Amino acid sequence: MKKKNLIIVNTYFQLMTIINMCLNNLKEDVNDLIVTDKSADMEEKINKLKEYNIFENIYYVKSKDICIDKNKVKKYLTYLFDRKKILTVELKEVYDYLYFFNYDLLTYCTIDEIAKKNKNVKCKKYDEGFISYLYDVKNNNINNIVRKLLLRKNIDRSIEAYYLYHPDLICYDSKYPIEKIKVLDKSDEKLKSIYNNIFNYTKDKIKQKYIFFEESFFCDGGKDVNDLELILKIAETVGKENLLVKLHPRNKINRFAEYGIATNKTIGIPWELIQMNDDFSDKVLLTISSGSVLASKLYFNDNIKTYLLFNCTDKMSNMVTEKYFEYLKKLENKFGLDNFIIPKNEEEFLKRLEKDKNE
């Protein structure tokens, strides 16, 4: 008997991964999809996705404002007394499994709802980029206590498996069985065609040699690592005309326009898809600690010169931990990272950049 799955997706990369899984790992199951508004224009994307009959039912849920609200009291009161503001659709099916990555109010509401019809429903998690490999992300203790008091299902204890692209790269002892996802492949024309249509991809050749990947430091209001100051020095070294900044998807403010630095025009298209369609071997990728630059190795085994610049800022990125270095070491052992450069400081980096420019 076919399994009936409900899958929650919040980001572009999650959507890419789940489509891939449903065409491969879960192709014998019946799959329904919940897509949220946490990423821009998701409703438009799922309207195109419906053309392919990969999912039996697709639900669009506007839960972003509540799920990201920093007022925890307000969030929990909504969860307790007005749950229809979170799970805004009616789920009529009986599900065997819930697939998710994010522990948030929507996940809680969804499993509570489907458990009414199947108290034995189980959970499975799936890959969300390199954070999935650094830490065994779990529900926090407060949420577990609240759910226990409310006689709700313990989500972590209900997890049966974890789906990852590269199970051999995890930096912790997983208590769940690991299932392998088929790695993205430039030669997979069927999958690429589906992605291109859903994300409205059109090839926009990047003319600049240097591509800097902005991170969420600014838009999340977190630690100030002075990334703008570093980017301006890069522009001065290589020339503004040779530098493109790929804006972080959640950043609504372009900090670079006033300095005459170009930014990406392809908004709403994941970098993994852009790289799946093009050859960037003549480019140089730069970032402080973004996992996006690792796509060249993780999915396509491309050899692109890449600078990781976490030693070149006044404050260290929160992502750079012992686990981060362990992960890079595993990457090096598996793929080789000859083209990945980690300068010891800003001075060394700018000297190398000056030398690269003249090569």
Side-chain angles (χ1 to χ4, degrees), residues 17-72:
T17 294
I18 286 303
I19 292 170
N20 184 16
M21 286 176 58
C22 287
L23 291 175
N24 294 285
N25 304 78
L26 309 179
K27 64 182 178 181
E28 302 302 325
D29 297 347
V30 178
N31 303 301
D32 285 359
L33 185 67
I34 288 179
V35 177
T36 76
D37 61 342
K38 285 188 178 180
S39 297
D41 300 322
M42 276 297 210
E43 191 169 18
E44 175 188 333
K45 290 170 174 49
I46 62 174
N47 285 336
K48 292 184 178 181
L49 179 58
K50 290 176 182 177
E51 300 173 14
Y52 297 97
N53 297 316
I54 298 171
F55 303 95
E56 189 168 85
N57 296 293
I58 301 178
Y59 303 100
Y60 180 60
V61 173
K62 295 182 178 181
S63 64
K64 178 181 68 173
D65 291 342
I66 294 172
C67 287
I68 67 173
D69 195 320
K70 294 182 180 180
N71 188 328
K72 292 184 178 181

Side-chain angles (χ1 to χ4, degrees), residues 176-268:
Y176 314 119
I178 304 294
E179 301 285 345
K180 184 172 177 17
I181 306 172
K182 181 178 180 289
V183 176
L184 301 178
D185 186 345
K186 289 186 176 184
S187 65
D188 190 338
E189 295 299 334
K190 177 183 178 182
L191 186 60
K192 187 160 58 175
S193 175
I194 294 172
Y195 287 162
N196 286 349
N197 184 29
I198 291 169
F199 289 99
N200 197 28
Y201 175 82
T202 53
K203 192 168 184 177
D204 183 17
K205 187 67 177 176
I206 296 175
K207 299 176 182 179
Q208 295 84 353
K209 178 179 179 179
Y210 299 89
I211 306 171
F212 188 99
F213 289 75
E214 183 192 30
E215 294 170 70
S216 62
F217 308 123
F218 175 76
C219 61
D220 289 347
K223 183 186 291 187
D224 182 9
V225 299
N226 295 325
D227 58 332
L228 177 58
E229 182 180 334
L230 180 61
I231 292 167
L232 291 177
K233 290 180 180 179
I234 293 170
E236 184 180 351
T237 303
V238 304
K240 293 179 183 179
E241 70 281 5
N242 295 315
L243 176 64
L244 175 85
V245 174
K246 185 183 182 301
L247 299 174
H248 190 274
R250 290 199 302 276
N251 195 357
K252 297 179 181 179
I253 299 175
N254 184 342
R255 299 178 290 160
F256 311 100
E258 65 177 291
Y259 300 101
I261 297 173
T263 54
N264 56 304
K265 297 178 182 178
T266 50
I267 305 298

Side-chain angles (χ1 to χ4, degrees), residues 197-359:
N197 184 29
I198 291 169
F199 289 99
N200 197 28
Y201 175 82
T202 53
K203 192 168 184 177
D204 183 17
K205 187 67 177 176
I206 296 175
K207 299 176 182 179
Q208 295 84 353
K209 178 179 179 179
Y210 299 89
I211 306 171
F212 188 99
F213 289 75
E214 183 192 30
E215 294 170 70
S216 62
F217 308 123
F218 175 76
C219 61
D220 289 347
K223 183 186 291 187
D224 182 9
V225 299
N226 295 325
D227 58 332
L228 177 58
E229 182 180 334
L230 180 61
I231 292 167
L232 291 177
K233 290 180 180 179
I234 293 170
E236 184 180 351
T237 303
V238 304
K240 293 179 183 179
E241 70 281 5
N242 295 315
L243 176 64
L244 175 85
V245 174
K246 185 183 182 301
L247 299 174
H248 190 274
R250 290 199 302 276
N251 195 357
K252 297 179 181 179
I253 299 175
N254 184 342
R255 299 178 290 160
F256 311 100
E258 65 177 291
Y259 300 101
I261 297 173
T263 54
N264 56 304
K265 297 178 182 178
T266 50
I267 305 298
I269 301 177
W271 173 253
E272 291 82 4
L273 178 57
I274 294 172
Q275 195 164 340
M276 195 174 186
N277 280 279
D278 209 343
D279 177 15
F280 290 87
S281 57
D282 61 338
K283 306 298 183 185
V284 177
L285 308 183
L286 309 105
T287 190
I288 294 171
S289 57
S290 171
S292 295
V293 298
L294 302 176
S296 60
K297 288 295 183 185
L298 290 172
Y299 311 117
F300 312 116
N301 205 22
D302 290 340
N303 292 315
I304 305 173
K305 180 175 282 190
T306 302
Y307 284 95
L308 298 174
L309 304 174
F310 49 77
N311 290 325
C312 302
T313 54
D314 293 342
K315 296 179 182 178
M316 188 71 78
S317 164
N318 290 330
M319 292 303 302
V320 181
T321 63
E322 289 184 11
K323 290 292 185 182
Y324 183 85
F325 289 111
E326 182 180 346
Y327 180 68
L328 289 180
K329 186 63 178 177
K330 284 177 177 273
L331 271 177
E332 183 178 21
N333 291 338
K334 182 170 184 175
F335 297 108
L337 295 180
D338 295 341
N339 289 320
F340 279 69
I341 303 164
I342 305 176
K344 294 179 181 178
N345 51 50
E346 181 187 286
E347 182 181 4
E348 178 191 317
F349 163 59
L350 293 176
K351 285 182 179 178
R352 294 195 67 144
L353 202 59
E354 183 70 39
K355 182 180 178 182
D356 286 348
K357 182 186 69 171
N358 297 321
E359 287 182 350

Side-chain angles (χ1 to χ4, degrees), residues 3-8 18 21 25-26 29 31 96-103 107 111 114 121-127 137 153-164 176-179 181:
K3 295 286 188 287
K4 183 75 174 181
N5 306 317
L6 180 62
I7 304 162
I8 300 176
I18 286 303
M21 286 176 58
N25 304 78
L26 309 179
D29 297 347
N31 303 301
D96 299 295
Y97 288 98
L98 175 68
Y99 284 73
F100 75 100
F101 176 80
N102 301 93
Y103 288 91
T107 300
I111 194 164
I114 62 181
V121 63
K122 298 294 183 180
C123 299
K124 296 186 179 184
K125 292 178 66 178
Y126 62 87
D127 201 312
V137 179
K153 182 180 283 288
N154 185 302
I155 296 177
D156 288 326
R157 291 177 185 171
S158 303
I159 295 174
E160 279 193 352
Y162 204 162
Y163 284 78
L164 296 171
Y176 314 119
I178 304 294
E179 301 285 345
I181 306 172

